[in-house]
Amino acid sequence: MAVERTCLAIVLAAGEGTRMRSMRPKVLHAIAGQSLLAHVLDAVSKAGGTKTAVVVGLGADAVAAEAKRVLPDAEIFVQAERRGTAHAVLAAKAAIARAPDDVLVIFGDTPLIRPQTLTRIRGALAEGAALVVLGFRPKDPAGYGRLVLKGGELVAIREELDASPAERAIALCNGGLMAFAGPTALAILERISNDNRKGEYYLTDAIAIARAMGGKAVVIETEEEDVRGINTNAQLADTAAVLQQRLRNAAMDAGVTLIAPETVFLSSDTKFGREVVVEPFVVFGPGVTVEDNAVIRSFSHLDRAHVGKGALVGPYARLRPGARLQDDVHVGNFVEIKEALIETGAKANHLSYIGDATVGAGANVGAGTITCNYDGVAKHRTEIGKNAFIGSNSALVAPVKIGDGAYVGSGSVITQDVPADALALGRGRQAIKEGWARRLRERVLPSKKRTPAK
Ligand code: UD1
Ligand code: MG
């Protein structure tokens, strides 16, 4: 069984992404809430890659750091000069020399690669292939290496620049992913030369070499989406769209109701419980969990937030990092919540900012309530007790505590702690001047000629 074999996955991430006109290394661009590199590394770890090597360019500390963040035990190798894909693989020579059973080579800019595709490739190695190439039939083959078959056997990969017109007409192309039987991998790789029009060490030359050494080269075919590479911003967007479609389908397969799936944007790590409903036009940033029976209504934006069972969020709600809604919480329109625990059954239904706060179970936060958490220098906490009632348009100036069951009168500016079950008022006292309006009219209006209403 393939899964029992040891595996080294080498992820090539030394690309610069210059065609994206960005200072950021290509593999750090993100789709569905995580970097291209993270997508690839996720697929690798799900496929049971026992060891992972990431090849980065010189000075690409951010790429190395991202690799370590996703897979702390990934080994980083530096390719000091970009001299071709085989040269990049050999940067990880020390890892290959430890003789794993399988050596997978994966490009860091093909984020849609699925774990099951990696598993299929490993299966072919387990059956005795010296080398496995992942082939596909692209709509537009321009730029891809062509797979040259003879009598059903893979004999070579011809890079487009070096291909004859007949070879260019071949529809089956190299998806870029290759795998080597560990024991012969180094011997093959070290024989690759840079004798071609680009003067690069082409990984694809491995096929002819493996065959010359008596090994068998095998093609595994997959669909284009699996191996979509990213070189431009347009390709980044196209790839993101494919991934969104996958994520939406997976969510619906798991029982989530997406009323207009094409308008809902998910992250790869978005987690849903049962019977969740997501209305049209909702964005899930990374790190969001939504539990059973919750409803996320239209135009809401959630990012690193937790939504408890039966909670109701939106329309137009914004849950920022650290928003933790327990069961049956209601968060309504134009309410922003950041770094705050909203306990069971509490409600903030309209026009509020709740940041760096705890809102106790059953509390009601009235329309327009603001936690004033920032004094221009530091952030401070607001604690609202259980079943407290915060009247509309109140400003709670942190640090401040509102006790359990306390009331805050509407329009208050609260700067001192409020004891449990007390009423706090912090607003100008209302004055009544009987007859004042009538007297004004009597005094002022007769002297003015009023134009009759039309
Ligand atoms: C490569 C294949 C081609 C295949 C295509 C699929 C070779 C020679 N060609 O072409 O057959 O159809 O991918 O997308 O392998 N890299 C390094 N260091 C280098 C060169 C490349 O790390 O010195 C990395 C790149 O960052 C990238 C990957 O290797 O992730 C592929 O390199 P790229 O230049 O994009 O190869 P292609 O011309 O697309
Ligand atoms: Mg490429």
Side-chain angles (χ1 to χ4, degrees):
M1 278 289 289
V3 280
E4 287 156 10
R5 295 162 60 94
T6 60
C7 176
L8 168 70
I10 304 175
V11 178
L12 303 190
E16 300 132 18
T18 41
R19 286 176 65 198
M20 298 173 84
R21 306 206 187 285
S22 162
M23 300 293 284
R24 220 184 320 167
K26 176 161 75 174
V27 295
L28 295 189
H29 285 262
I31 58 174
Q34 67 173 5
S35 68
L36 304 182
L37 182 60
H39 285 287
V40 172
L41 293 176
D42 271 359
V44 165
S45 48
K46 282 185 189 137
T50 43
K51 290 267 186 293
T52 304
V54 180
V55 178
V56 305
L58 196 61
D61 296 345
V63 178
E66 170 70 351
K68 284 287 193 189
R69 184 189 67 79
V70 181
L71 274 189
D73 60 359
E75 211 177 337
I76 308 293
F77 295 93
V78 176
Q79 184 195 22
E81 278 179 282
R82 260 180 81 93
R83 297 177 67 190
T85 43
H87 182 258
V89 173
L90 280 173
K93 183 174 167 178
I96 305 169
R98 282 179 221 131
D101 296 320
D102 302 341
V103 177
L104 298 185
V105 178
I106 307 164
F107 295 167
D109 65 353
T110 53
L112 298 186
I113 190 73
R114 287 171 304 178
Q116 57 263 46
T117 306
L118 301 181
T119 308
R120 276 172 67 205
I121 290 171
R122 294 190 62 194
L125 288 177
E127 282 165 19
L131 204 163
V132 184
V133 173
L134 186 62
F136 75 119
R137 296 172 193 274
K139 283 190 206 85
D140 174 14
Y144 289 109
R146 308 299 204 276
L147 302 189
V148 183
L149 302 177
K150 261 197 200 122
E153 275 193 44
L154 177 64
V155 294
I157 303 182
R158 197 75 68 224
E159 288 307 297
E160 185 163 83
L161 267 182
D162 305 299
S164 68
E167 286 167 341
R168 280 190 198 192
I170 296 172
L172 187 62
C173 289
N174 176 19
L177 204 148
M178 255 194 229
F180 295 83
T184 46
L186 260 189
I188 295 172
L189 289 164
E190 287 184 328
R191 265 171 227 199
I192 293 175
S193 79
N194 63 348
D195 181 17
N196 53 55
R197 286 183 56 185
K198 268 186 154 177
E200 285 189 359
Y201 293 86
Y202 285 167
L203 187 60
T204 45
D205 286 351
I207 285 82
I209 297 170
R211 285 176 58 85
M213 289 169 64
K216 195 167 104 190
V218 170
V219 181
I220 297 257
E221 243 188 274
T222 188
E223 62 253 51
E224 182 160 13
E225 315 221 307
D226 232 13
V227 288
R228 241 171 220 273
I230 292 172
N231 291 316
T232 65
N233 286 318
Q235 287 169 340
L236 184 74
D238 287 347
T239 307
V242 172
L243 183 54
Q244 284 301 333
Q245 207 47 55
R246 277 190 196 172
L247 294 171
R248 291 167 188 145
N249 288 340
M252 290 188 286
D253 285 348
V256 178
T257 301
L258 301 181
I259 291 169
E262 67 284 6
T263 66
V264 173
F265 291 83
L266 300 162
S267 284
S268 344
D269 63 352
T270 309
K271 289 192 182 63
F272 292 109
R274 293 168 178 279
E275 310 291 341
V276 170
V277 175
V278 180
E279 290 187 358
F281 299 102
V282 174
V283 176
F284 294 90
V288 175
T289 312
V290 181
E291 291 201 58
D292 301 353
N293 298 302
V295 178
I296 314 296
R297 303 179 71 185
S298 291
F299 304 106
S300 295
H301 188 284
L302 299 83
D303 186 8
R304 300 193 194 286
H306 175 85
V307 177
K309 293 194 178 78
L312 189 56
V313 173
Y316 298 99
R318 176 153 185 226
L319 302 187
R320 289 176 52 205
R324 284 155 290 150
L325 278 46
Q326 291 185 343
D327 298 352
D328 301 316
V329 160
H330 289 189
V331 169
N333 38 246
F334 306 108
V335 172
E336 172 180 346
I337 298 185
K338 184 217 74 168
E339 199 56 61
L341 174 66
I342 315 295
E343 292 178 358
T344 306
K347 291 185 178 131
N349 273 328
H350 331 266
L351 300 153
S352 246
Y353 171 64
I354 302 175
D356 302 304
T358 305
V359 176
N364 187 84
V365 176
T369 297
I370 305 289
T371 56
C372 309
N373 61 327
Y374 186 50
D375 57 14
V377 180
K379 302 277 170 67
H380 303 282
R381 294 196 61 82
T382 300
E383 283 174 36
I384 298 174
K386 296 187 197 323
N387 299 312
F389 180 95
I390 314 298
S392 295
N393 200 32
S394 293
L396 309 178
V397 182
V400 72
K401 286 184 188 166
I402 314 295
D404 291 350
Y407 262 59
V408 168
S410 297
S412 290
V413 177
I414 299 295
T415 54
Q416 292 163 22
D417 290 355
V418 179
D421 298 317
L423 167 68
L425 294 167
R427 64 188 184 204
R429 192 177 277 277
Q430 181 170 326
I432 298 286
K433 309 215 169 172
E434 291 286 355
W436 184 93
R438 185 173 11 89
R439 287 197 297 280
L440 173 80
R441 282 193 297 273
E442 285 166 359
R443 202 158 21 96
V444 177
L445 292 188
S447 63
K448 277 204 170 180
K449 265 234 162 356
R450 281 220 281 175
T451 35
K454 282 179 192 161

